[in-house]
Amino acid sequence: QNPSYTYTYTGNGPYSFSAKLKAQNSFGCRDSVTNTVQLYTNPTPSFVPTDACLNQPNLFPSSTSSLGTGSIPSYSWNFAALGNSIVPNPSFVFPNAGTYTVQLTITDELGCSGKYSTSVTVNPLPIVSFTSNEACFKSVSQFVNLSSGTITSFVWNFGDPGSGAAN
């Protein structure tokens, strides 16, 4: 018999438990053995991603991860099945605006591991567009802003260094 057992003790380890095996043979003879089982606390990964705009990298700092019993030599990031990374604090550029699930798995040198998933938002870019009429020097050129989306500010640059602050 080779049973499996899952220890569900919570708290900060390491812990030692005594596991005992008793056996009896066909002659009625009995014996037992006790071994110590070492249990280590799993690392607890956590991160707070930055939301980003489309075509900009989202940052994933893992600095909020708890080490558990050992140190963390292994990081494994999964960016919504679109890419992976094994560095502690990666960045990733998602291909479209939307909400994505990112998962971090950390494994310490003892083989203990933990997983954490959270959502990250990639915001759409505003649609920026304008038209202008052709004009002669020292006459007014009219610009029409055709931009759309949730836009909170505009900055114009007319390409004329002589226009000063209005440039």
Side-chain angles (χ1 to χ4, degrees):
Q1 257 189 55
N2 297 308
S4 296
Y5 181 79
T6 301
Y7 289 89
T8 57
Y9 195 81
T10 58
N12 294 326
Y15 299 102
S16 295
F17 293 92
S18 296
K20 187 173 189 175
L21 173 62
K22 296 178 185 180
Q24 178 178 323
N25 65 18
S26 61
F27 303 108
C29 301
R30 297 178 186 170
D31 198 6
S32 66
V33 64
T34 302
N35 286 336
T36 300
V37 176
Q38 284 291 121
L39 297 176
Y40 302 99
T41 304
N42 289 351
T44 306
S46 182
F47 59 95
V48 179
T50 60
D51 289 344
C53 296
L54 186 61
N55 301 325
Q56 294 179 349
N58 291 76
L59 304 177
F60 298 93
S62 64
S63 60
T64 57
S65 296
S66 168
L67 300 180
T69 304
S71 64
I72 302 173
S74 172
Y75 293 82
S76 178
W77 295 86
N78 181 306
F79 302 107
L82 298 170
N84 299 291
S85 179
I86 58 171
V87 299
N89 300 301
S91 64
F92 189 78
V93 178
F94 289 95
N96 298 300
T99 301
Y100 297 91
T101 300
V102 176
Q103 182 179 57
L104 169 61
T105 302
I106 53 178
T107 305
D108 66 20
E109 80 278 2
L110 301 170
C112 300
S113 65
K115 292 182 180 183
Y116 176 74
S117 296
T118 194
S119 296
V120 62
T121 301
V122 177
N123 296 301
L125 298 174
I127 298 170
V128 181
S129 178
F130 70 91
T131 61
S132 64
N133 64 315
E134 294 181 7
C136 298
F137 279 115
K138 301 202 185 239
S139 64
V140 175
S141 181
Q142 183 65 43
F143 294 84
V144 177
N145 186 344
L146 302 173
S147 301
S148 62
T150 306
I151 300 172
T152 57
S153 68
F154 294 98
V155 176
W156 286 92
N157 181 328
F158 299 108
D160 178 8
S163 65
N167 188 17

